Amino acid sequence: MRLEWGPRPAALPWPAGMCAAGRVEGAFTLQSVAQPMRPIASTATKCGNCGPGYSTPLEAMKGPREEIVYLPCIYRNTGTEAPDYLATVDVDPKSPQYCQVIHRLPMPNLKDELHHSGWNTCSSCFGDSTKSRTKLVLPSLISSRIYVVDVGSEPRAPKLHKVIEPKDIHAKCELAFLHTSHCLASGEVMISSLGDVKGNGKGGFVLLDGETFEVKGTWERPGGAAPLGYDFWYQPRHNVMISTEWAAPNVLRDGFNPADVEAGLYGSHLYVWDWQRHEIVQTLSLKDGLIPLEIRFLHNPDAAQGFVGCALSSTIQRFYKNEGGTWSVEKVIQVPPKKVKGWLLPEMPGLITDILLSLDDRFLYFSNWLHGDLRQYDISDPQRPRLTGQLFLGGSIVKGGPVQVLEDQELKSQPEPLVVKGKRVAGGPQMIQLSLDGKRLYITTSLYSAWDKQFYPDLIREGSVMLQVDVDTVKGGLNLNPNFLVDFGKEPLGPALAHELRYPGGDCSSDIWI
């Protein structure tokens, strides 16, 4: 089908409880032929006093170039007894502080394990001038604290606004080990969990008031949590949310044990939720889909399909809605394992740990954290992704390392180690973020401190890095920017592990259009 721009049809009801935000022109309409999305005559919102974000994904692509990024830096499991902190990095090539950490906001506690972040409000409330994207929400994966950071008062020097203590979440939600944070059209903030207070698996969702950040309770109905949790994405026009699963916190917290895979303790399902009734209506079992982590619907709010990266199986699975209203899933990309010597197992998976979709839904990107490559696929035909770019940025199979590749279905030789501005990069590409115009990718190299320590000891000693890759958005292709490096091995308190990246005005993994 072809996805085109136009006013939202009057026959489609607006989701209940949404901000005044959604009632704007420039939404998607659905055409019936199988062609890529293209803009028709501009119906971009002309709103003199708009709320946060952009009216549509294609309008977001016209947004300003990123000048700073925020990313959490972790000290848990590094040997440095210091709190995690939020780093602000200057990415403006015109700035004298380009490629530098210009501000550090330490949290007031130790060993939180900051991980992902989200906003108090986003493009789902675009038309509501009472809403403003001023607070970054930082859930802690291990401590279960939630930090709310004021980035609106002084974007280049954020300050702590509020701390939500674990006891408040435990008491009202009986959830812990928090991961993904998304802003909702209702003005609320929703955060996924991996487990309960004791570290058993429990895939529920904490709901916060988007103004006061008080814990309101769970989004799901009482007793309705999924067995395991991790990431989620919602698509209100299809009355659906889909969530993924990693493993119970007690399983993954201190490292990876292959015996846990044999015992079936890692996730292999997607959970399809009724968005209005807040309950699971379908469970999708993934063939070749061990550890489904990051999930992305197409940005087009009319789209009834998307992709999920399955880490351990190293597959990309496409999920889609059937004519009868049920959902199905199919494998569309397989990264073959490599037979190796000198590693934990005789076969090494790619370990797909992050995926992104460009805002025009043309390209899919993902990182193979263990193999060490970053990939770009053209998804104009979502059922048949086509590889258009690949770049090795470190990893476990570089020449001169402890791992010898015995059999490789893709490469003729092991890649060279990556050296940028004199720094040999430890670890592999992990978290990725794409510029609004799709022309630049930013990459960090830390996955999760306990797994970093197990798979990349050098990463603990030397710290992670932030890299930048230039993207060919016409023909496809990836090229490393040799002049860009942020070395978190040189931080004042010692080497740190930098994780997910956020732009102040929102990005392609923070904002959802309704």
Side-chain angles (χ1 to χ4, degrees):
M1 61 183 59
R2 183 172 68 216
L3 306 173
E4 296 192 342
W5 293 101
R8 183 184 178 93
L12 289 176
W14 290 99
M18 65 178 278
C19 304
R23 296 173 175 84
V24 296
E25 297 301 312
F28 289 95
T29 59
L30 202 57
Q31 305 293 327
S32 59
V33 281
Q35 299 255 342
M37 182 168 37
R38 66 176 178 82
I40 57 177
S42 175
T43 55
T45 304
K46 293 182 174 65
C47 146
N49 192 20
C50 292
Y54 302 89
S55 59
T56 65
L58 293 188
E59 283 299 310
M61 293 188 77
K62 303 173 187 176
R65 178 177 174 138
E66 65 283 357
E67 295 182 351
I68 57 174
V69 298
Y70 304 120
L71 64 169
C73 294
I74 291 88
Y75 275 126
R76 181 175 171 267
N77 279 316
T78 66
T80 298
E81 290 295 310
D84 299 346
Y85 61 97
L86 181 69
T88 306
V89 174
D90 191 319
V91 294
D92 180 1
K94 301 174 187 174
S95 169
Q97 295 176 305
Y98 181 56
C99 287
Q100 294 179 31
V101 179
I102 59 173
H103 187 267
R104 299 169 183 86
L105 175 66
M107 301 300 117
N109 300 281
L110 296 174
K111 304 185 190 305
D112 282 311
E113 188 94 30
L114 297 181
H115 199 62
H116 286 210
S117 63
W119 294 105
N120 63 312
T121 187
C122 65
S123 293
S124 61
C125 284
F126 169 73
D128 188 345
S129 61
T130 68
K131 302 292 182 183
S132 180
R133 192 194 309 256
T134 59
K135 306 294 189 302
L136 189 64
V137 180
L138 291 152
S140 300
L141 188 61
I142 295 300
S143 74
S144 304
R145 267 184 204 91
I146 301 171
Y147 295 103
V148 182
V149 174
D150 177 4
V151 297
S153 300
E154 197 171 347
R156 297 175 71 87
K159 57 188 178 183
L160 193 59
H161 174 74
K162 183 172 183 175
V163 180
I164 304 169
E165 291 294 342
K167 63 181 182 180
D168 296 332
I169 299 157
H170 298 165
K172 293 182 180 179
C173 304
E174 297 181 356
L175 296 174
F177 304 94
L178 306 179
H179 189 265
T180 299
S181 174
H182 274 308
C183 37
L184 306 186
S186 62
E188 296 163 311
V189 175
M190 181 166 158
I191 302 172
S192 62
S193 75
L194 273 67
D196 63 15
V197 178
K198 295 181 179 179
N200 303 305
K202 189 176 183 181
F205 303 90
V206 175
L207 208 57
L208 304 181
D209 184 287
E211 299 289 338
T212 66
F213 302 100
E214 292 297 316
V215 179
K216 298 182 71 172
T218 62
W219 174 84
E220 73 278 8
R221 295 186 176 199
L228 297 172
Y230 185 72
D231 195 22
F232 70 100
W233 198 280
Y234 60 89
Q235 201 78 321
R237 294 191 190 181
H238 293 280
N239 188 35
V240 69
M241 178 183 80
I242 301 182
S243 63
T244 66
E245 55 182 13
W246 186 0
N250 289 338
V251 171
L252 64 90
R253 177 164 33 193
D254 296 322
F256 175 75
N257 184 347
D260 292 334
V261 179
E262 296 295 324
L265 299 181
Y266 278 94
S268 60
H269 299 88
L270 300 182
Y271 300 97
V272 181
W273 301 73
D274 185 297
W275 184 240
Q276 292 183 345
R277 299 206 316 262
H278 301 195
E279 61 186 17
I280 296 172
V281 292
Q282 193 178 352
T283 299
L284 299 175
S285 182
L286 298 169
K287 183 181 179 182
D288 300 324
L290 272 174
I291 313 185
L293 293 181
E294 307 296 334
I295 187 165
R296 312 281 184 248
F297 265 94
L298 297 186
H299 293 290
N300 175 348
D302 270 326
Q305 62 180 321
F307 301 90
V308 60
C310 299
L312 197 57
S313 298
S314 300
T315 62
I316 298 292
Q317 309 260 351
R318 170 182 167 261
F319 56 88
Y320 58 95
K321 189 178 182 179
N322 301 303
E323 286 187 10
T326 60
W327 293 77
S328 295
V329 65
E330 63 178 352
K331 180 174 70 173
V332 292
I333 300 172
Q334 173 75 66
V335 177
K338 303 180 190 298
K339 292 186 178 179
V340 295
K341 181 181 179 182
W343 194 65
L344 176 69
L345 297 168
E347 285 195 345
M348 180 189 290
L351 209 75
I352 297 173
T353 50
D354 197 15
I355 71 169
L356 285 179
L357 302 181
S358 60
L359 286 169
D360 57 3
D361 291 333
R362 184 184 169 196
F363 290 112
L364 178 149
Y365 300 88
F366 68 79
S367 53
N368 283 310
W369 189 58
L370 290 177
H371 288 178
D373 58 316
L374 174 72
R375 300 192 183 197
Q376 176 198 48
Y377 285 80
D378 187 317
I379 54 167
S380 298
D381 180 352
Q383 293 178 265
R384 298 170 185 82
R386 180 172 59 88
L387 181 64
T388 50
Q390 184 177 20
L391 199 58
F392 278 84
L393 302 171
S396 294
I397 60 167
V398 294
K399 290 180 180 176
V403 176
Q404 179 185 356
V405 177
L406 304 176
E407 187 177 319
D408 194 325
Q409 298 179 40
E410 295 184 314
L411 303 177
K412 294 181 179 179
S413 62
Q414 295 180 228
E416 297 290 338
L418 179 65
V419 179
V420 182
K421 299 181 75 170
K423 165 88 172 184
R424 177 168 171 157
V425 172
Q430 208 289 99
M431 294 308 299
I432 53 178
Q433 191 54 266
L434 185 66
S435 61
L436 295 179
D437 62 8
K439 295 180 179 180
R440 291 166 300 284
L441 270 168
Y442 296 92
I443 301 101
T444 57
T445 51
S446 166
L447 172 60
Y448 162 61
S449 68
W451 288 32
D452 292 350
K453 187 175 182 179
Q454 181 177 3
F455 291 105
Y456 289 115
D458 288 352
L459 196 57
I460 301 296
R461 292 190 294 269
E462 300 173 20
S464 63
V465 299
M466 177 177 165
L467 305 170
Q468 188 250 306
V469 167
D470 293 319
V471 178
D472 186 333
T473 58
V474 179
K475 298 178 180 178
L478 304 171
N479 289 288
L480 179 68
N481 180 349
N483 299 312
F484 187 101
L485 175 74
V486 183
D487 184 359
F488 290 94
K490 295 181 178 178
E491 287 296 271
L493 297 181
L497 303 171
H499 200 65
E500 189 186 41
L501 305 113
R502 283 276 172 257
Y503 306 139
D507 48 62
C508 62
S509 60
S510 71
D511 281 34
I512 295 176
W513 282 265
I514 60 171

